[in-house]
Amino acid sequence: MLYLAICTEGENSEPAFIRELDRAFSGQSINQSGASVAVVPVPLNGVHGHNKIIEAANEALDLGFQKRTDGPLCDFSNGDNLEKWLVCDYDYMEKHGVILEEFEIMVHEAGYELVINRPNFEFFVLALLAGLDVAVAESPSNYENAINAAAETINASNIEKGFSDGMMIPKYSKRHYAVPTFFGKLLDYNKDLVEGFCKIKFDKASERFTDMAKIINRIKELRNS
């Protein structure tokens, strides 16, 4: 068994997206080598993007802790493989005195693949729905409104294609009960947006970028999509 453990700084939106992405692309549940795969989001409950996030991720993935608490890795055995990822926002790094290049080295030395959203995860969501130009031009304080405006535009287009009300993307919210439905409807009926997003070339030296294509492509690869 391969466990793809994805630690997320965010508690609700990032884990919900990962779960729904895995569900949407899990037409097959085995990877190329024939080994079964478990995609496991592990929220770190708001630990911001600074050095302590590595410590928090290590604690969350401690197998002894997982077995004691009946966690998502509680069935991990000696023959299994653990692939570790870390998804975090950039927005608090500078405030905490973190240098991105040094942080990337620390994360990789700790055994994790790193995914950064600058300034935050909502920038990724907006880029996914509305494209790079819209996302870059938008103020972070207005991301949620812009996301919902983009979703309304997509819904209007889908209505013209004959989509039913049950296929519409609902309003975006960070609340734990709302985000699974938002990403579920988005990914079930608008996979072309994911394909288009993964073709975007982001400049990591800019003020706005996201690495989310890395984890999307990894999950798609493992699910043979």
Side-chain angles (χ1 to χ4, degrees):
M1 172 77 82
L2 170 63
Y3 286 88
L4 187 69
I6 307 170
C7 295
T8 66
E9 182 181 10
E11 185 174 2
N12 296 323
S13 297
E14 292 95 322
F17 173 77
I18 291 164
R19 291 189 190 97
E20 294 303 319
L21 178 73
D22 184 45
R23 182 190 57 77
F25 284 99
S26 60
Q28 299 182 45
S29 59
I30 57 174
N31 64 10
Q32 298 289 349
S33 66
S36 52
V37 176
V39 175
V40 181
V42 182
L44 301 179
N45 300 326
V47 177
H48 293 301
H50 51 71
N51 300 347
K52 289 185 178 179
I53 198 171
I54 300 173
E55 179 182 342
N58 287 339
E59 291 177 357
L61 298 183
D62 176 76
L63 295 178
F65 171 78
Q66 289 280 331
K67 293 181 184 299
R68 289 194 306 273
T69 59
D70 196 28
L73 301 177
C74 64
D75 293 329
F76 191 91
S77 64
N78 290 336
D80 293 330
N81 295 311
L82 181 62
E83 182 176 319
K84 302 186 296 183
W85 288 69
L86 180 60
V87 179
C88 59
D89 293 342
Y90 183 91
D91 50 1
Y92 287 95
M93 284 189 179
E94 289 179 326
K95 184 182 294 185
H96 291 190
V98 176
I99 298 172
L100 179 57
E101 291 77 10
E102 295 179 357
F103 181 69
E104 288 175 323
I105 293 171
M106 289 176 59
V107 170
H108 290 144
E109 288 180 345
Y112 293 83
E113 291 289 333
L114 178 63
V115 171
I116 290 283
N117 291 302
R118 181 175 188 178
N120 55 33
F121 181 73
E122 279 65 40
F123 170 77
F124 154 68
V125 180
L126 183 55
L128 176 66
L129 268 67
L132 178 58
D133 290 344
V134 171
V136 168
E138 189 58 69
S139 168
S141 63
N142 197 50
Y143 280 165
E144 190 166 326
N145 289 333
I147 288 169
N148 285 319
E152 288 179 3
T153 299
I154 294 168
N155 286 338
S157 176
N158 286 342
I159 288 172
E160 293 181 357
K161 298 174 185 176
F163 283 32
S164 68
D165 289 345
M167 300 164 74
M168 297 297 104
I169 304 169
K171 187 175 181 180
Y172 179 74
S173 167
K174 293 183 181 182
R175 293 182 175 89
H176 68 89
Y177 59 81
V179 282
T181 305
F182 176 88
F183 288 121
K185 299 295 185 182
L186 169 62
L187 293 166
D188 279 345
Y189 303 112
N190 303 276
K191 280 196 179 79
D192 57 313
L193 294 176
V194 178
E195 303 298 333
F197 169 81
C198 289
K199 295 177 182 178
I200 298 174
K201 302 298 183 183
F202 289 94
D203 180 6
K204 293 196 67 170
S206 72
E207 293 296 315
R208 301 283 187 270
F209 72 85
T210 172
D211 290 329
M212 288 297 293
K214 291 165 59 176
I215 193 62
I216 292 171
N217 286 330
R218 182 57 176 149
I219 290 175
K220 287 173 61 181
E221 175 187 19
L222 291 172
R223 295 308 187 191
N224 289 337
S225 297

